[in-house]
Amino acid sequence: MKKYKWGMMLLVLAFFIEWSYNFLNYEREIARNFADKLFSYPLPPKTEITDKGFDYEVLYGKALWGSKDKPTPTVVAYIRLSSKLSEKELMDYYK
């Protein structure tokens, strides 16, 4: 009977930890989905990705956008490209 109680307590603890992790990382997952949309955008011909990444942070206080009293999420996503196309051809592709 004691093993059953410990097993149930561990199971409840595991569910609580999983729920807490998902709750605390919800906005980060939204940011990751935003970055994944950028990463999945089709590349122009003769072009390859050399580096990519994203970062997410919540800023408090005076922010660039939004109210100064509310937290402002900030997402930075980037892709570094190497291409045999000219700058004009790349700009025309992404217009």
Side-chain angles (χ1 to χ4, degrees), residues 24-38:
L24 296 173
N25 286 309
Y26 175 74
E27 289 182 346
R28 184 171 182 80
E29 284 304 309
I30 291 173
R32 181 181 303 276
N33 290 338
F34 171 81
D36 287 343
K37 285 181 184 178
L38 173 67

Side-chain angles (χ1 to χ4, degrees), residues 5-88:
K5 285 183 182 178
W6 278 107
M8 287 303 293
M9 285 181 16
L10 287 174
L11 186 62
V12 168
L13 181 63
F15 280 123
F16 177 74
I17 290 171
E18 176 71 20
W19 178 84
S20 298
Y21 178 80
N22 290 334
F23 178 76
L24 296 173
N25 286 309
Y26 175 74
E27 289 182 346
R28 184 171 182 80
E29 284 304 309
I30 291 173
R32 181 181 303 276
N33 290 338
F34 171 81
D36 287 343
K37 285 181 184 178
L38 173 67
F39 300 154
S40 67
Y41 194 84
L43 293 175
K46 302 178 187 175
T47 303
E48 63 182 33
I49 295 174
T50 59
D51 191 21
K52 66 181 179 179
F54 91 100
D55 196 13
Y56 168 77
E57 186 175 330
V58 175
L59 301 174
Y60 290 89
K62 202 168 195 176
L64 296 175
W65 298 279
S67 170
K68 64 181 177 179
D69 297 330
K70 293 183 180 178
T72 304
T74 303
V75 178
V76 176
Y78 69 90
I79 297 176
R80 183 175 296 150
L81 302 175
S82 175
S83 181
K84 294 185 180 186
L85 300 178
S86 70
E87 184 177 344
K88 182 183 181 329

